[in-house]
Amino acid sequence: MAVNVPLAATTDRTAGQTKKGMSGDSISGAFIVVIEGEPDVLAALELLLEVFGCTVLAAAAGEQAAARLHGFAKPPDAIIADYRLDGGTLGTDAIRTVQQAAGGGVPGILLTGDTSPERIREARASGFRLMHKPVRTAVLKSLLAEILGSAASHRKPGN
């Protein structure tokens, strides 16, 4: 799997920001949990999201991420998980573990390199968004912006 990471990014983080720090397709200010069993891929995704201006909790498993959530002041804005994790664990279960620890309502994205129709059906049936590997930088950023914008528009005032 390959992740394209820009060497440098320039963004104007003051123009048109919402109270959450995101505007348009910008995801700056978002808190993202990444669950990936492959250390190099995990590090690349963490770096990419940090370049976007996100706060990242990177973990190899859902239980590990859930246990580390208490160190953060707010719940995550989104969870990204590889579909197939170590030990036969599925990313769907990892996302649900983190959602439960965060009090629910956190959108999830599954990453998969598996192209079998059965695996793709299973992943889509989970209700989480699905991205295929290799992850394309612009596509990931756009999907996160869409999910975060949608989640923000469905929150009730005061939440």
Side-chain angles (χ1 to χ4, degrees):
M1 180 173 113
V3 177
N4 295 324
V5 180
L7 293 177
T10 58
T11 58
D12 179 0
R13 294 185 181 168
T14 59
Q17 288 184 331
T18 64
K19 65 183 178 181
K20 194 170 193 166
M22 295 177 280
S23 70
D25 69 343
S26 174
I27 59 172
S28 179
F31 172 30
I32 311 294
V33 173
V34 179
I35 305 164
E36 167 64 63
E38 181 64 41
D40 291 341
V41 176
L42 182 62
L45 286 168
E46 181 177 19
L47 177 61
L48 176 63
L49 291 166
E50 287 173 350
V51 167
F52 291 159
C54 299
T55 299
V56 181
L57 187 165
E63 295 80 10
Q64 180 187 34
R68 293 177 47 210
L69 273 180
H70 72 278
F72 291 85
K74 66 174 193 156
D77 295 303
I79 306 161
I80 300 171
D82 189 21
Y83 184 65
R84 292 186 175 273
L85 297 165
D86 294 340
T89 303
L90 294 178
T92 51
D93 296 328
I95 291 172
R96 289 184 185 109
T97 296
V98 175
Q99 285 176 325
Q100 185 176 7
V106 182
I109 299 173
L110 290 168
L111 304 179
T112 187
D114 195 333
T115 58
S116 81
E118 184 179 338
R119 293 294 93 64
I120 292 171
R121 272 193 303 277
E122 288 171 4
R124 287 194 173 134
S126 71
F128 301 122
R129 298 297 290 269
L130 181 64
M131 277 191 73
H132 293 278
K133 295 177 182 178
V135 173
R136 296 185 59 209
T137 303
V139 175
L140 177 60
K141 186 175 184 181
S142 177
L143 180 57
L144 280 169
E146 177 188 330
I147 285 172
L148 297 174
S150 176
S153 69
H154 289 99
R155 288 192 187 118
K156 295 178 182 164
N159 288 348

